[in-house]
Amino acid sequence: MPTYAYKAVNGDKSCDHCRSGFEIIQRMVEPPLTHCPQCQNPIYRVLFAPTVVVKGSPVTETEKKIREYEKEGKWSHAAELADKEAEKTKREDLRVRALEDYKKAGYNFDKYDKKFE
Ligand SMILES: [Zn+2]
């Protein structure tokens, strides 16, 4: 079974367990953790080994859709979807992806950044 690494989204509010990150063995079909099992603060999955992650990380329907939009060059669609999904799942990788897609769509995201402060 693959090992996944998780880290606190907000280091200031987290406990020792998740602040510096921790690893956990999960089955591939298990959904990613969104909250620290100890302090219940939001965490995200750390993408530390691309080969493992690409194969091991479950691809959701939403992610497939995002990928489709990206392939078709519909950056704003992809960004909005990634953005929504990131909010829902607290996944840092999707948040970064949304930002990149917004950039490609030509958005001015000075405003967008503030949303996450
Ligand atoms: Zn914690």
Side-chain angles (χ1 to χ4, degrees):
M1 284 194 284
T3 306
Y4 294 107
Y6 288 92
K7 209 170 176 211
V9 172
N10 186 340
D12 294 341
K13 288 185 193 156
S14 56
C15 68
D16 289 340
H17 184 57
C18 60
R19 187 177 301 129
S20 53
F22 62 92
E23 289 185 5
I24 188 166
I25 295 172
Q26 281 187 296
R27 288 188 299 155
M28 285 186 194
V29 293
E30 282 181 60
L33 298 179
T34 53
H35 292 87
C36 173
Q38 299 205 359
C39 66
Q40 304 305 321
N41 278 306
I43 52 173
Y44 66 93
R45 188 188 276 176
V46 182
L47 307 178
F48 62 99
T51 49
V52 172
V53 170
V54 170
K55 284 181 188 161
S57 131
V59 177
T60 62
E61 285 305 309
T62 309
E63 285 182 81
K64 276 187 208 160
K65 196 80 199 161
I66 294 168
R67 206 174 290 168
E68 266 175 44
Y69 281 141
E70 286 173 348
K71 251 188 228 164
E72 292 165 17
K74 294 176 180 170
W75 301 115
S76 57
H77 284 76
E80 269 171 41
L81 206 56
D83 189 13
K84 258 185 226 160
E85 190 72 358
E87 295 252 324
K88 205 164 71 183
T89 60
K90 305 290 176 207
R91 273 178 54 184
E92 187 69 10
D93 60 324
L94 284 177
R95 190 177 80 80
V96 170
R97 190 155 172 183
L99 276 172
E100 279 170 5
D101 286 343
Y102 273 127
K103 242 187 254 178
K104 286 174 188 155
Y107 275 62
N108 170 5
F109 48 84
D110 287 346
K111 271 183 231 151
Y112 181 79
D113 271 339
K114 289 207 172 72
K115 223 163 93 182
F116 290 95
E117 275 171 16

